[in-house]
PDB file of all heavy atoms in Angstrom:
ATOM      1  N   LEU A   7      -2.410   4.805  -1.390  1.00  0.00           N
ATOM      2  CA  LEU A   7      -2.307   3.353  -1.262  1.00  0.00           C
ATOM      3  C   LEU A   7      -2.552   2.869   0.168  1.00  0.00           C
ATOM      4  O   LEU A   7      -3.051   1.761   0.373  1.00  0.00           O
ATOM      5  CB  LEU A   7      -0.930   2.886  -1.746  1.00  0.00           C
ATOM      6  CG  LEU A   7      -0.696   2.964  -3.249  1.00  0.00           C
ATOM      7  CD1 LEU A   7       0.773   2.716  -3.563  1.00  0.00           C
ATOM      8  CD2 LEU A   7      -1.574   1.989  -3.984  1.00  0.00           C
ATOM      9  N   ILE A  10      -6.382   2.682   0.270  1.00  0.00           N
ATOM     10  CA  ILE A  10      -6.991   1.746  -0.675  1.00  0.00           C
ATOM     11  C   ILE A  10      -6.677   0.299  -0.318  1.00  0.00           C
ATOM     12  O   ILE A  10      -7.553  -0.567  -0.386  1.00  0.00           O
ATOM     13  CB  ILE A  10      -6.530   2.067  -2.119  1.00  0.00           C
ATOM     14  CG1 ILE A  10      -7.092   3.418  -2.548  1.00  0.00           C
ATOM     15  CG2 ILE A  10      -6.951   0.985  -3.095  1.00  0.00           C
ATOM     16  CD1 ILE A  10      -8.590   3.490  -2.613  1.00  0.00           C
ATOM     17  N   GLY A  11      -5.436   0.008   0.072  1.00  0.00           N
ATOM     18  CA  GLY A  11      -5.032  -1.363   0.377  1.00  0.00           C
ATOM     19  C   GLY A  11      -5.858  -2.018   1.478  1.00  0.00           C
ATOM     20  O   GLY A  11      -6.472  -3.068   1.255  1.00  0.00           O
ATOM     21  N   PRO A  12      -5.916  -1.435   2.670  1.00  0.00           N
ATOM     22  CA  PRO A  12      -6.740  -2.038   3.722  1.00  0.00           C
ATOM     23  C   PRO A  12      -8.235  -2.070   3.400  1.00  0.00           C
ATOM     24  O   PRO A  12      -8.943  -2.984   3.818  1.00  0.00           O
ATOM     25  CB  PRO A  12      -6.474  -1.153   4.941  1.00  0.00           C
ATOM     26  CG  PRO A  12      -5.130  -0.591   4.683  1.00  0.00           C
ATOM     27  CD  PRO A  12      -5.063  -0.381   3.205  1.00  0.00           C
ATOM     28  N   THR A  13      -8.707  -1.081   2.641  1.00  0.00           N
ATOM     29  CA  THR A  13     -10.115  -1.091   2.235  1.00  0.00           C
ATOM     30  C   THR A  13     -10.404  -2.282   1.339  1.00  0.00           C
ATOM     31  O   THR A  13     -11.422  -2.975   1.511  1.00  0.00           O
ATOM     32  CB  THR A  13     -10.469   0.220   1.511  1.00  0.00           C
ATOM     33  OG1 THR A  13     -10.182   1.320   2.378  1.00  0.00           O
ATOM     34  CG2 THR A  13     -11.929   0.248   1.116  1.00  0.00           C
ATOM     35  N   LEU A  14      -9.524  -2.542   0.390  1.00  0.00           N
ATOM     36  CA  LEU A  14      -9.706  -3.703  -0.488  1.00  0.00           C
ATOM     37  C   LEU A  14      -9.601  -5.013   0.284  1.00  0.00           C
ATOM     38  O   LEU A  14     -10.343  -5.962   0.016  1.00  0.00           O
ATOM     39  CB  LEU A  14      -8.674  -3.676  -1.624  1.00  0.00           C
ATOM     40  CG  LEU A  14      -8.892  -2.628  -2.701  1.00  0.00           C
ATOM     41  CD1 LEU A  14      -7.731  -2.632  -3.685  1.00  0.00           C
ATOM     42  CD2 LEU A  14     -10.203  -2.855  -3.425  1.00  0.00           C
ATOM     43  N   LEU A  15      -8.699  -5.064   1.255  1.00  0.00           N
ATOM     44  CA  LEU A  15      -8.589  -6.266   2.082  1.00  0.00           C
ATOM     45  C   LEU A  15      -9.850  -6.485   2.907  1.00  0.00           C
ATOM     46  O   LEU A  15     -10.319  -7.619   3.047  1.00  0.00           O
ATOM     47  CB  LEU A  15      -7.366  -6.178   2.993  1.00  0.00           C
ATOM     48  CG  LEU A  15      -6.021  -6.379   2.321  1.00  0.00           C
ATOM     49  CD1 LEU A  15      -4.900  -6.164   3.322  1.00  0.00           C
ATOM     50  CD2 LEU A  15      -5.920  -7.748   1.706  1.00  0.00           C
ATOM     51  N   HIS A  16     -10.415  -5.429   3.443  1.00  0.00           N
ATOM     52  CA  HIS A  16     -11.643  -5.549   4.212  1.00  0.00           C
ATOM     53  C   HIS A  16     -12.802  -6.029   3.332  1.00  0.00           C
ATOM     54  O   HIS A  16     -13.586  -6.885   3.745  1.00  0.00           O
ATOM     55  CB  HIS A  16     -11.998  -4.211   4.860  1.00  0.00           C
ATOM     56  CG  HIS A  16     -13.297  -4.220   5.586  1.00  0.00           C
ATOM     57  ND1 HIS A  16     -13.451  -4.862   6.791  1.00  0.00           N
ATOM     58  CD2 HIS A  16     -14.496  -3.697   5.268  1.00  0.00           C
ATOM     59  CE1 HIS A  16     -14.694  -4.720   7.190  1.00  0.00           C
ATOM     60  NE2 HIS A  16     -15.353  -4.016   6.271  1.00  0.00           N
ATOM     61  N   ALA A  18     -12.520  -7.761   0.593  1.00  0.00           N
ATOM     62  CA  ALA A  18     -12.254  -9.149   0.211  1.00  0.00           C
ATOM     63  C   ALA A  18     -12.599 -10.111   1.347  1.00  0.00           C
ATOM     64  O   ALA A  18     -13.244 -11.134   1.125  1.00  0.00           O
ATOM     65  CB  ALA A  18     -10.792  -9.317  -0.195  1.00  0.00           C
ATOM     66  N   PHE A  19     -12.204  -9.779   2.576  1.00  0.00           N
ATOM     67  CA  PHE A  19     -12.452 -10.689   3.701  1.00  0.00           C
ATOM     68  C   PHE A  19     -13.923 -10.710   4.114  1.00  0.00           C
ATOM     69  O   PHE A  19     -14.374 -11.686   4.699  1.00  0.00           O
ATOM     70  CB  PHE A  19     -11.577 -10.328   4.896  1.00  0.00           C
ATOM     71  CG  PHE A  19     -10.153 -10.767   4.730  1.00  0.00           C
ATOM     72  CD1 PHE A  19      -9.119  -9.892   4.965  1.00  0.00           C
ATOM     73  CD2 PHE A  19      -9.845 -12.058   4.337  1.00  0.00           C
ATOM     74  CE1 PHE A  19      -7.802 -10.284   4.820  1.00  0.00           C
ATOM     75  CE2 PHE A  19      -8.536 -12.466   4.184  1.00  0.00           C
ATOM     76  CZ  PHE A  19      -7.512 -11.580   4.426  1.00  0.00           C
ATOM     77  N   ILE A  28     -10.452 -13.805  -4.436  1.00  0.00           N
ATOM     78  CA  ILE A  28      -9.015 -13.956  -4.691  1.00  0.00           C
ATOM     79  C   ILE A  28      -8.429 -12.733  -5.410  1.00  0.00           C
ATOM     80  O   ILE A  28      -7.386 -12.217  -4.979  1.00  0.00           O
ATOM     81  CB  ILE A  28      -8.717 -15.258  -5.472  1.00  0.00           C
ATOM     82  CG1 ILE A  28      -9.149 -16.471  -4.661  1.00  0.00           C
ATOM     83  CG2 ILE A  28      -7.259 -15.348  -5.866  1.00  0.00           C
ATOM     84  CD1 ILE A  28      -8.362 -16.679  -3.388  1.00  0.00           C
ATOM     85  N   PRO A  29      -9.060 -12.218  -6.487  1.00  0.00           N
ATOM     86  CA  PRO A  29      -8.471 -11.025  -7.121  1.00  0.00           C
ATOM     87  C   PRO A  29      -8.428  -9.809  -6.195  1.00  0.00           C
ATOM     88  O   PRO A  29      -7.443  -9.064  -6.202  1.00  0.00           O
ATOM     89  CB  PRO A  29      -9.391 -10.760  -8.313  1.00  0.00           C
ATOM     90  CG  PRO A  29     -10.013 -12.057  -8.617  1.00  0.00           C
ATOM     91  CD  PRO A  29     -10.156 -12.750  -7.310  1.00  0.00           C
ATOM     92  N   LEU A  30      -9.469  -9.599  -5.382  1.00  0.00           N
ATOM     93  CA  LEU A  30      -9.455  -8.471  -4.457  1.00  0.00           C
ATOM     94  C   LEU A  30      -8.411  -8.657  -3.370  1.00  0.00           C
ATOM     95  O   LEU A  30      -7.765  -7.695  -2.951  1.00  0.00           O
ATOM     96  CB  LEU A  30     -10.830  -8.287  -3.819  1.00  0.00           C
ATOM     97  CG  LEU A  30     -11.871  -7.553  -4.657  1.00  0.00           C
ATOM     98  CD1 LEU A  30     -13.194  -7.504  -3.919  1.00  0.00           C
ATOM     99  CD2 LEU A  30     -11.414  -6.164  -5.001  1.00  0.00           C
ATOM    100  N   LEU A  31      -8.234  -9.886  -2.925  1.00  0.00           N
ATOM    101  CA  LEU A  31      -7.224 -10.169  -1.914  1.00  0.00           C
ATOM    102  C   LEU A  31      -5.824  -9.900  -2.448  1.00  0.00           C
ATOM    103  O   LEU A  31      -5.005  -9.250  -1.795  1.00  0.00           O
ATOM    104  CB  LEU A  31      -7.350 -11.618  -1.449  1.00  0.00           C
ATOM    105  CG  LEU A  31      -6.447 -12.057  -0.308  1.00  0.00           C
ATOM    106  CD1 LEU A  31      -6.833 -11.314   0.962  1.00  0.00           C
ATOM    107  CD2 LEU A  31      -6.559 -13.544  -0.102  1.00  0.00           C
ATOM    108  N   ILE A  32      -5.549 -10.350  -3.651  1.00  0.00           N
ATOM    109  CA  ILE A  32      -4.244 -10.118  -4.272  1.00  0.00           C
ATOM    110  C   ILE A  32      -4.016  -8.629  -4.499  1.00  0.00           C
ATOM    111  O   ILE A  32      -2.935  -8.098  -4.212  1.00  0.00           O
ATOM    112  CB  ILE A  32      -4.125 -10.916  -5.585  1.00  0.00           C
ATOM    113  CG1 ILE A  32      -4.079 -12.404  -5.282  1.00  0.00           C
ATOM    114  CG2 ILE A  32      -2.911 -10.479  -6.392  1.00  0.00           C
ATOM    115  CD1 ILE A  32      -4.195 -13.292  -6.502  1.00  0.00           C
ATOM    116  N   LEU A  33      -5.035  -7.932  -4.984  1.00  0.00           N
ATOM    117  CA  LEU A  33      -4.912  -6.498  -5.244  1.00  0.00           C
ATOM    118  C   LEU A  33      -4.717  -5.717  -3.938  1.00  0.00           C
ATOM    119  O   LEU A  33      -3.910  -4.778  -3.887  1.00  0.00           O
ATOM    120  CB  LEU A  33      -6.149  -5.992  -5.984  1.00  0.00           C
ATOM    121  CG  LEU A  33      -6.103  -4.578  -6.522  1.00  0.00           C
ATOM    122  CD1 LEU A  33      -4.974  -4.431  -7.525  1.00  0.00           C
ATOM    123  CD2 LEU A  33      -7.427  -4.226  -7.149  1.00  0.00           C
ATOM    124  N   GLY A  34      -5.410  -6.111  -2.878  1.00  0.00           N
ATOM    125  CA  GLY A  34      -5.250  -5.445  -1.586  1.00  0.00           C
ATOM    126  C   GLY A  34      -3.872  -5.641  -1.005  1.00  0.00           C
ATOM    127  O   GLY A  34      -3.260  -4.699  -0.489  1.00  0.00           O
ATOM    128  N   VAL A  35      -3.354  -6.865  -1.065  1.00  0.00           N
ATOM    129  CA  VAL A  35      -2.010  -7.138  -0.553  1.00  0.00           C
ATOM    130  C   VAL A  35      -0.970  -6.389  -1.382  1.00  0.00           C
ATOM    131  O   VAL A  35      -0.012  -5.822  -0.838  1.00  0.00           O
ATOM    132  CB  VAL A  35      -1.733  -8.658  -0.536  1.00  0.00           C
ATOM    133  CG1 VAL A  35      -0.277  -8.946  -0.260  1.00  0.00           C
ATOM    134  CG2 VAL A  35      -2.621  -9.343   0.486  1.00  0.00           C
ATOM    135  N   LEU A  36      -1.152  -6.344  -2.686  1.00  0.00           N
ATOM    136  CA  LEU A  36      -0.230  -5.627  -3.561  1.00  0.00           C
ATOM    137  C   LEU A  36      -0.236  -4.131  -3.251  1.00  0.00           C
ATOM    138  O   LEU A  36       0.825  -3.501  -3.203  1.00  0.00           O
ATOM    139  CB  LEU A  36      -0.593  -5.878  -5.025  1.00  0.00           C
ATOM    140  CG  LEU A  36       0.346  -5.332  -6.072  1.00  0.00           C
ATOM    141  CD1 LEU A  36       1.698  -6.019  -5.964  1.00  0.00           C
ATOM    142  CD2 LEU A  36      -0.235  -5.534  -7.454  1.00  0.00           C
ATOM    143  N   CYS A  37      -1.417  -3.562  -3.010  1.00  0.00           N
ATOM    144  CA  CYS A  37      -1.493  -2.142  -2.656  1.00  0.00           C
ATOM    145  C   CYS A  37      -0.805  -1.863  -1.330  1.00  0.00           C
ATOM    146  O   CYS A  37      -0.138  -0.836  -1.178  1.00  0.00           O
ATOM    147  CB  CYS A  37      -2.946  -1.690  -2.601  1.00  0.00           C
ATOM    148  SG  CYS A  37      -3.701  -1.456  -4.204  1.00  0.00           S
ATOM    149  N   CYS A  38      -0.947  -2.764  -0.365  1.00  0.00           N
ATOM    150  CA  CYS A  38      -0.282  -2.576   0.932  1.00  0.00           C
ATOM    151  C   CYS A  38       1.234  -2.641   0.792  1.00  0.00           C
ATOM    152  O   CYS A  38       1.956  -1.835   1.390  1.00  0.00           O
ATOM    153  CB  CYS A  38      -0.771  -3.625   1.931  1.00  0.00           C
ATOM    154  SG  CYS A  38      -2.468  -3.370   2.480  1.00  0.00           S
ATOM    155  N   ILE A  39       1.720  -3.572   0.001  1.00  0.00           N
ATOM    156  CA  ILE A  39       3.166  -3.676  -0.228  1.00  0.00           C
ATOM    157  C   ILE A  39       3.691  -2.442  -0.953  1.00  0.00           C
ATOM    158  O   ILE A  39       4.741  -1.895  -0.601  1.00  0.00           O
ATOM    159  CB  ILE A  39       3.500  -4.971  -0.993  1.00  0.00           C
ATOM    160  CG1 ILE A  39       3.243  -6.185  -0.104  1.00  0.00           C
ATOM    161  CG2 ILE A  39       4.934  -4.969  -1.489  1.00  0.00           C
ATOM    162  CD1 ILE A  39       3.311  -7.509  -0.818  1.00  0.00           C
ATOM    163  N   LEU A  40       2.945  -1.971  -1.951  1.00  0.00           N
ATOM    164  CA  LEU A  40       3.358  -0.771  -2.680  1.00  0.00           C
ATOM    165  C   LEU A  40       3.331   0.462  -1.783  1.00  0.00           C
ATOM    166  O   LEU A  40       4.167   1.363  -1.944  1.00  0.00           O
ATOM    167  CB  LEU A  40       2.477  -0.563  -3.907  1.00  0.00           C
ATOM    168  CG  LEU A  40       2.710  -1.527  -5.064  1.00  0.00           C
ATOM    169  CD1 LEU A  40       1.686  -1.288  -6.163  1.00  0.00           C
ATOM    170  CD2 LEU A  40       4.113  -1.385  -5.604  1.00  0.00           C
ATOM    171  N   ALA A  41       2.399   0.516  -0.837  1.00  0.00           N
ATOM    172  CA  ALA A  41       2.359   1.641   0.098  1.00  0.00           C
ATOM    173  C   ALA A  41       3.602   1.656   0.978  1.00  0.00           C
ATOM    174  O   ALA A  41       4.178   2.722   1.232  1.00  0.00           O
ATOM    175  CB  ALA A  41       1.101   1.561   0.957  1.00  0.00           C
ATOM    176  N   ILE A  42       4.026   0.494   1.439  1.00  0.00           N
ATOM    177  CA  ILE A  42       5.233   0.413   2.268  1.00  0.00           C
ATOM    178  C   ILE A  42       6.458   0.835   1.457  1.00  0.00           C
ATOM    179  O   ILE A  42       7.310   1.595   1.944  1.00  0.00           O
ATOM    180  CB  ILE A  42       5.399  -1.004   2.835  1.00  0.00           C
ATOM    181  CG1 ILE A  42       4.290  -1.296   3.837  1.00  0.00           C
ATOM    182  CG2 ILE A  42       6.767  -1.172   3.486  1.00  0.00           C
ATOM    183  CD1 ILE A  42       4.211  -2.737   4.263  1.00  0.00           C
TER     184      ILE A  42
END
Side-chain angles (χ1 to χ4, degrees):
L7 289 170
I10 293 297
T13 303
L14 288 175
L15 286 176
H16 176 73
F19 284 131
I28 298 294
L30 279 177
L31 185 66
I32 292 170
L33 189 61
V35 169
L36 186 64
C37 284
C38 289
I39 291 170
L40 287 175
I42 292 169

